[in-house]
Amino acid sequence: MSASLQHIPSHAQTANPSQNTPIGELCTPSRREWLGGAGGMALLSMLGGLSACASAPEAQAVAATAKPSGPLLGFKRIPIDATDSIKVPEGYVARALTAWGDPVGISGNMPAFKWDGSNTAEEQAAQQGMHHDGMHYFALDGSKRGLLVTNHEYVDDGLLHADGAVPWTAAKVRKAQAAHGFSVVEIAQGANGWQPVRPSAYARRVTANTQHRIAGPCAGHAMMRTAADPEGRTVLGTLGNCASGITPWGTYLSGEENWHDNFAGGQKPTPEQRRYNITPEGWWRWAQHDKRFDATVNPNEFNRFGWVVELDPMDPSSPPVKRTALGRAAREGAVVAVTADKRAVVYSGEDAHGEYIYKFVSRDQIKPAGNGLTAAQANRDLLDHGTLYVARFNADGSGDWLPLVHGQGPLTATNKFADQGEVLVKARFASDALGGTPMDRPEWVAVSQDRREVYCTLTNSSRRGTPEGKPVDAANPRANNTMGSIIRWREGPTDGGDFDALKFRWNHLVLAGDPSNERAEAKGNTVGDTFAAPDGLMFDARGLLWVQTDMSARNLNAGEYKHAGNNSMLACDVRTGEFRRFLSGPMNCEITGLTFTPDMKTMFLNVQHPGETPSERSDPANPRRFSNWPDFRPDGRPRSGTVVVQRVDGGVIGAA
Ligand code: FEO
Ligand code: CA
Ligand code: CA
């Protein structure tokens, strides 16, 4: 989600009152030697070459033909751009594939998009939602046919409704709810390139009113029960679906990020509601017409969001599942690594000022498909049993994973943690008590399985070092951090540690910035092309680290971002630390949601909120838009959508 919005959901609020602020030295350039330069090459040699560089699920998905040869950065850089278009390197082509309002392809229910915004809630529930974010390609037939699963993070009510958000009505709340969640769209590559397949037996929408199963230690817990669900085991909807990940057993993971903005807390919210950033009326004002989102009436409904959601795209009849063992937070997303003994380790950050980075280690080993079960079915409970940890980044470059286990340390009934369920529902409180490190808005996490390294974007935090924010510390070393950074760690006290280690070592891949900025702290130390506000992050199967930016749309090409151009995507060779700009998006969008076909010859990514204005909640229809992407119709509306990128010569994306 962009931080440009006037309300700036969780990003504008610092709800973490803890004093968890390890004070240390600034990140020194010497730390960058950890992987860069000679040190990095030595490590690479030790690991036996580039084939070691891949995230676990991607590595399993990639074809042998994608093995790298030659330099990782094999494309020609593009300059910054501020036009209302997508720019890619010489030799590449990019085009929009699908967008908000396109029918997903449910048989017998494929309503056309109406350019005047007059589609009903029922029609919207069969069309792609708004504000595309995380996404993954699940192969049905290798690199020729597959499913694109896409998150829809939030909505722009000024664009969604024919007459904008004024007056505010129950029908508009229902349509907004129908534009949230996930889309599952089948696509295939034919004579006209990639196209949606409609109808498709896999086509599906999950919305803010789709029934989800609650699984793990909080299922049935008193804090999860409501009048509509006295058992505390099912919940309608998913909200704020931001970043994505996948599991080795073929399912999709989505983080519920800014769900709190959909709830109203009244004038006297509880400390628990305040700690999770509730506001009196709720930014989206759903509570005015849907009492489910009025936390003064239904306080426990608020506890039923903020989870990692798992979806099996291959089984359209299976309910999405909220995995409570992973804790409740402003979940950006979740990605999976695998231990040597085949247990799953799920990394996740929460994008809010001064909140935390977590990992979850499964108790059980990942099971193969068999005995009539798919891998997804064989591992349907895998993420319900295990241990959740919060990260503490020490000033000396070491780190500790602190377990959120009831009865251990401060997590006792005396401290208002009655049981493990309450520890997980109140994960932020537990992390405060344990001494986790409050971070500068952790966004996406990327895992390099064979390097045993994990990277996380800390997008920015203008509050760092201010009275309302956290003091600077070693891991978050810059006050008024408008530029952001990428932090990374290796598990174990020394090299060779596995992903379940209780200690780690960390440094910064980069402090992003603009070398010409007057402020010393905003200059950064980027090697190669500069950028600000890193958000999306993913290793491809060749080992390139892709970085997507989300600078505030309100401030784009102004202020601290005056030299930055539109939001963009870069690739980094983490051996050298060099960044190279690959793609620039249309005006006032953010770039997000990256995935590849197994042969690495097609890249899909998402453009979110092109043309965003600072006041998307209440604008009347189309008064002032900065983009008309991707349709460029005089009567059109800017639409979030999916872009397909290929090489003219049919080669591997990013390679020479
Ligand atoms: Fe949804 Fe933190 O971006
Ligand atoms: Ca962001
Ligand atoms: Ca994001």
Side-chain angles (χ1 to χ4, degrees):
M1 185 177 202
S2 164
S4 70
L5 314 180
Q6 283 184 333
H7 73 296
I8 312 187
S10 61
H11 313 159
Q13 303 169 46
T14 304
N16 184 347
S18 72
Q19 299 301 307
N20 301 342
T21 50
I23 306 298
E25 79 284 8
L26 295 184
C27 179
T28 60
S30 64
R31 284 229 175 107
R32 307 188 72 245
E33 294 169 4
W34 177 40
L35 288 187
M41 293 312 290
L43 171 75
L44 192 70
S45 165
M46 200 169 70
L47 289 173
L50 286 177
S51 61
C53 307
S55 66
E58 292 296 337
Q60 292 168 9
V62 73
T65 53
K67 290 268 173 63
S69 60
L72 280 179
L73 287 167
F75 61 89
K76 190 174 174 184
R77 64 170 37 85
I78 63 163
I80 65 165
D81 189 75
T83 64
D84 194 22
S85 61
I86 290 181
K87 294 290 187 350
V88 288
E90 191 179 298
Y92 285 80
V93 289
R95 66 177 176 85
L97 176 64
T98 60
W100 159 53
D102 290 347
V104 292
I106 299 167
S107 181
N109 188 13
M110 295 192 286
F113 180 65
K114 294 180 178 173
W115 294 99
D116 64 358
S118 64
N119 285 114
T120 65
E122 290 69 30
E123 290 170 336
Q124 174 63 77
Q127 300 169 327
Q128 288 207 23
M130 266 193 153
H131 288 42
H132 298 41
D133 207 323
M135 174 174 64
H136 191 78
Y137 174 91
F138 290 87
L140 292 171
D141 182 8
S143 300
K144 298 177 183 170
R145 190 169 70 94
L147 302 178
L148 275 183
V149 185
T150 305
N151 288 342
H152 301 292
E153 188 180 21
Y154 65 109
V155 303
D156 179 332
D157 283 308
L159 281 179
L160 181 64
H161 314 292
D163 59 349
V166 180
W168 190 232
T169 66
K172 290 178 183 178
V173 171
R174 283 197 301 277
K175 185 173 179 185
Q177 292 172 344
H180 279 72
F182 314 128
S183 292
V184 181
V185 176
E186 183 176 339
I187 58 172
Q189 186 167 214
N192 296 319
W194 286 97
Q195 298 292 340
V197 176
R198 304 185 186 112
S200 163
Y202 296 98
R204 185 176 186 185
R205 276 302 316 283
V206 171
T207 75
N209 286 306
T210 301
Q211 184 158 299
H212 288 56
R213 185 165 70 87
I214 299 171
C218 301
H221 193 277
M223 297 179 78
M224 302 290 276
R225 296 177 195 155
T226 65
D229 173 31
E231 297 294 317
R233 294 182 183 276
T234 58
V235 57
L236 296 181
T238 184
L239 294 169
N241 303 92
C242 190
S244 60
I246 58 169
T247 66
W249 50 95
T251 60
Y252 182 80
L253 298 177
S254 174
E256 295 187 319
E257 185 191 9
N258 287 318
W259 88 98
H260 58 272
D261 287 318
N262 299 91
F263 285 84
Q267 297 303 318
K268 293 182 179 176
T270 65
E272 287 77 15
Q273 291 168 344
R274 265 206 310 276
R275 184 68 183 80
Y276 280 84
N277 299 108
I278 205 165
T279 54
E281 297 183 353
W283 174 252
W284 301 110
R285 301 172 296 166
W286 287 7
Q288 291 182 13
H289 298 289
D290 186 345
K291 289 301 173 192
R292 185 157 72 98
F293 296 94
D294 184 342
T296 68
V297 178
N298 289 303
N300 281 1
E301 190 70 7
F302 190 64
N303 296 336
R304 290 144 60 90
F305 294 84
W307 306 100
V308 172
V309 180
E310 183 175 6
L311 179 80
D312 179 0
M314 299 300 176
D315 180 2
S317 66
S318 64
V321 183
K322 300 206 177 188
R323 296 294 181 191
T324 64
L326 278 61
R328 174 170 165 265
R331 286 285 175 219
E332 177 78 9
V335 295
V336 179
V338 181
T339 63
D341 65 356
K342 300 282 189 282
R343 283 173 294 139
V345 178
V346 185
Y347 291 96
S348 183
E350 57 169 330
D351 175 9
H353 292 285
E355 299 297 350
Y356 299 110
I357 291 173
Y358 294 90
K359 80 171 179 183
F360 167 87
V361 181
S362 72
R363 183 191 66 187
D364 302 326
Q365 293 178 313
I366 300 166
K367 300 179 187 70
N371 297 325
L373 299 177
T374 65
Q377 291 165 340
N379 293 285
R380 75 188 294 271
D381 300 325
L382 193 89
L383 297 182
D384 295 339
H385 305 285
T387 305
L388 181 67
Y389 302 87
V390 64
R392 180 174 67 203
F393 293 80
N394 302 315
D396 63 359
S398 69
D400 296 283
W401 290 109
L402 310 169
L404 278 74
V405 175
H406 182 258
Q408 292 189 14
L411 306 183
T412 61
T414 309
N415 292 324
K416 299 184 178 176
F417 298 104
D419 52 26
Q420 183 63 15
E422 187 162 7
V423 167
L424 295 168
V425 171
K426 294 162 52 176
R428 282 185 175 176
F429 287 91
S431 299
D432 297 344
L434 289 167
T437 300
M439 307 298 286
D440 282 351
R441 297 181 51 202
E443 299 243 32
W444 289 57
V445 180
V447 170
S448 176
Q449 172 73 27
D450 293 329
R451 293 176 72 103
R452 294 235 175 105
E453 292 168 5
V454 188
Y455 292 65
C456 179
T457 45
L458 303 175
T459 193
N460 58 50
S461 180
S462 56
R463 299 198 166 201
R464 179 68 64 173
T466 68
E468 65 268 31
K470 299 296 181 187
V472 296
D473 60 34
N476 304 276
R478 294 189 289 181
N480 184 20
N481 176 15
T482 54
M483 297 298 180
S485 65
I486 300 175
I487 200 166
R488 60 183 170 177
W489 59 91
R490 282 193 194 140
E491 297 288 9
T494 59
D495 277 352
D498 204 347
F499 287 106
D500 62 345
L502 298 180
K503 292 187 177 296
F504 62 93
R505 289 150 301 118
W506 65 270
N507 69 15
H508 290 101
L509 170 65
V510 65
L511 302 179
D514 174 2
S516 68
N517 195 293
E518 309 78 52
R519 262 192 335 116
E521 289 194 305
K523 290 180 184 298
N525 61 6
T526 313
V527 177
D529 291 331
T530 58
F531 61 95
D535 186 343
L537 193 70
M538 199 189 92
F539 277 100
D540 71 21
R542 298 174 59 246
L544 263 182
L545 181 66
W546 295 88
V547 182
Q548 301 168 317
T549 72
D550 176 18
M551 296 172 286
S552 155
R554 182 170 47 177
N555 296 327
L556 266 179
N557 300 307
E560 295 269 292
Y561 303 145
K562 64 187 173 191
H563 300 131
N566 293 347
N567 278 306
S568 64
M569 182 167 73
L570 306 91
C572 176
D573 182 342
V574 299
R575 300 171 302 172
T576 62
E578 180 188 354
F579 288 85
R580 191 174 294 180
R581 192 178 301 102
F582 179 85
L583 178 144
S584 178
M587 292 174 69
N588 289 51
C589 77
E590 73 175 80
I591 300 296
T592 184
L594 180 63
T595 186
F596 296 83
T597 49
D599 64 5
M600 287 286 294
K601 294 181 177 178
T602 302
M603 162 194 277
F604 302 98
L605 58 99
N606 282 327
V607 167
Q608 189 190 99
H609 64 67
E612 182 188 59
T613 69
S615 55
E616 84 297 339
R617 182 181 75 171
S618 57
D619 279 354
N622 206 27
R624 180 169 67 98
R625 296 290 171 186
F626 297 109
S627 171
N628 210 0
W629 189 89
D631 308 286
F632 300 104
R633 289 168 58 122
D635 62 341
R637 294 168 181 243
R639 300 197 289 164
S640 295
T642 299
V643 174
V644 54
V645 179
Q646 292 176 304
R647 280 171 59 156
V648 174
D649 66 3
V652 169
I653 303 290

